[in-house]
Amino acid sequence: MSQSPSPSPSGTPAQQFETAAIHVGTDWRDQTGAVIPPVYLTSTFEYGNPGGFDYTRSGNPNFRNLQQTLAALEGCRHACVFASGVSAITAVVSTLKSGDVVVLEENVYGCTYRLFARVFEKFGVKPCYFDLSDPANYSKITELKPALVWIESPTNPMLKVLDIAAISEVARGVNAPVLVDNTFASSYVQQPIALGATLSLLSTTKYSNGHSDALGGAVCTDSDEWQEKMIFAQKALGLQPSPFDAWLTSRGLKTEAIRMERHNANALTFATRLEQRPGIRWVRYPFLPSHPQHELAKKQMRGGSGIITADLGLSLEETMAFMQRSRYFTKAESLGGIESLICHPASMTHASVPREVRESVGITDGVVRFSVGIEHIEDLWADVEQALG
Ligand SMILES: *Cc1c(COP(=O)(O)O)cnc(C)c1O
């Protein structure tokens, strides 16, 4: 096909500008040999195509690629992608009906709590919160026979570790599906489906994409029935990602293993040194022997991941000044990117939680959460030393 809208010397009938703008340059439909797929920025697909696509809200080649990769990385048969982690949460909760009870870990992600409290409770879904790091509370699952058990491990920001295999076994006894929010650990570090969970949910915005340049979410499962429900929610609720964000996430996933190895190593060294520094009240990191569930963490995680929470033993003003002096730890919400970030839960992620409630779970003014990136550990440590002064 001619690339030029001007009359063709070969004698093929010329197109007008308007027609050429739409019909010239479609060679990508052929086998191009491209090593990396293009971004399929198309809202719709020609009827009867061999890929079975019809409209991007219900599927796109970039979603398909990403879903196949994510399922492989989570070690299960299916994955379904969404516009964000919260979209993925919405998709799962939308499968419930009025009167359904959900047993949740009490320290689930703040947006999960808010979604139940401010949206789904209005529709009659009943969330019940318990400390599921304590096996004494497993009996709540047996008693309440919930429609769904919702856990997260490690939790935000206190990095509590929950026994995924044990909770899944108790839930199986009452036929309750178990969802694990696997965002803080990442697919590389922890595989909830192999541990017995029904669903593994990811905010791919964090470690999966890893470059802080796209939002996304996913629900991964071995169950055909759940996959069907997720694909339905993706299109029926309009929760699909943009093809470009899916493409970026696919690119990010290619380096997840190597990034996670560095996050694990950097964070362990950082946490070990921080814990030994005079004046620091406590350091919480799953792979530190001082972590209350260190043995369990080692059993179900391949590494400690990149998040560390610590009480620096400083006043609010001193903590703010510390964060200001840091050169490599940018003060920002989110986590899991190649760059280091620092967050002050009391004034940022947990600002809406009343002080007494916040402090009762350990989030005092001197508590900071580090998302340790993949920079050189000596630069990161020198930065924190100078900022602590
Ligand atoms: C960030 C996050 C989410 C929400 O994901 P978004 O992509 O921001 O919508 C859910 N769960 C956990 C544990 C998270 O860290």
Side-chain angles (χ1 to χ4, degrees), residues 122-331:
K122 285 191 301 193
F123 296 96
V125 173
K126 299 189 173 109
C128 303
Y129 296 90
F130 303 102
D131 174 9
L132 293 177
S133 69
D134 181 359
N137 287 326
Y138 292 175
S139 60
K140 302 292 180 192
I141 298 171
T142 326
E143 280 164 32
L144 292 168
K145 298 185 178 48
L148 189 60
V149 176
W150 193 290
I151 60 175
E152 198 171 304
S153 185
T155 63
N156 178 40
M158 302 308 282
L159 307 176
K160 262 168 53 173
V161 174
L162 277 64
D163 193 333
I164 298 170
I167 293 169
S168 299
E169 200 176 312
V170 172
R172 210 173 300 121
V174 290
N175 266 324
V178 174
L179 178 142
V180 178
D181 187 330
N182 202 29
T183 303
F184 266 48
S186 81
S187 315
Y188 181 74
V189 160
Q190 180 168 277
Q191 309 239 288
I193 306 296
L195 291 167
T198 320
L199 307 165
S200 175
L201 183 145
L202 293 163
S203 163
T204 59
T205 310
K206 317 293 169 52
Y207 288 114
S208 307
N209 178 47
H211 291 75
S212 307
D213 52 11
L215 273 83
V219 178
C220 309
T221 186
D222 263 341
S223 156
D224 294 343
E225 194 190 329
W226 269 103
Q227 175 68 358
E228 216 170 286
K229 290 185 202 178
M230 292 300 96
I231 294 286
F232 176 79
Q234 187 190 53
K235 68 175 171 193
L237 299 174
L239 298 173
Q240 76 293 335
S242 86
F244 187 54
D245 286 353
W247 185 90
L248 281 172
T249 307
S250 288
R251 186 172 71 159
L253 284 177
K254 294 181 201 301
T255 57
E256 185 178 327
I258 193 168
R259 283 186 284 107
M260 291 316 300
E261 286 290 353
R262 180 60 71 88
H263 284 297
N264 289 344
N266 275 0
L268 180 58
T269 303
F270 190 97
T272 305
R273 291 183 187 177
L274 192 63
E275 194 173 44
Q276 284 158 7
R277 207 176 184 283
I280 304 294
R281 276 213 190 106
W282 50 258
V283 177
R284 190 61 77 81
Y285 182 67
F287 269 44
L288 277 184
S290 60
H291 189 286
Q293 292 117 350
H294 177 56
E295 289 308 315
L296 173 60
K298 279 198 303 184
K299 204 173 82 183
Q300 70 183 19
M301 298 168 78
R302 195 206 284 256
S305 196
I307 318 295
I308 299 166
T309 304
D311 187 335
L312 304 177
L314 303 175
S315 69
L316 180 61
E317 295 68 32
E318 290 167 336
T319 308
M320 292 299 162
F322 161 77
M323 291 173 73
Q324 216 58 52
R325 281 194 297 270
S326 166
R327 174 177 173 197
Y328 295 125
F329 288 85
T330 304
K331 183 177 167 188

Side-chain angles (χ1 to χ4, degrees), residues 270 274 312 314 317-332 339-344 368-373 375 377-389:
F270 190 97
L274 192 63
L312 304 177
L314 303 175
E317 295 68 32
E318 290 167 336
T319 308
M320 292 299 162
F322 161 77
M323 291 173 73
Q324 216 58 52
R325 281 194 297 270
S326 166
R327 174 177 173 197
Y328 295 125
F329 288 85
T330 304
K331 183 177 167 188
E339 72 293 307
S340 292
L341 299 178
I342 190 167
C343 159
H344 185 246
V368 293
R369 188 191 75 188
F370 299 92
S371 175
V372 181
E375 301 94 334
I377 182 62
E378 298 306 337
D379 289 331
L380 295 179
W381 182 248
D383 185 32
V384 165
E385 290 252 87
Q386 69 77 24
L388 282 170

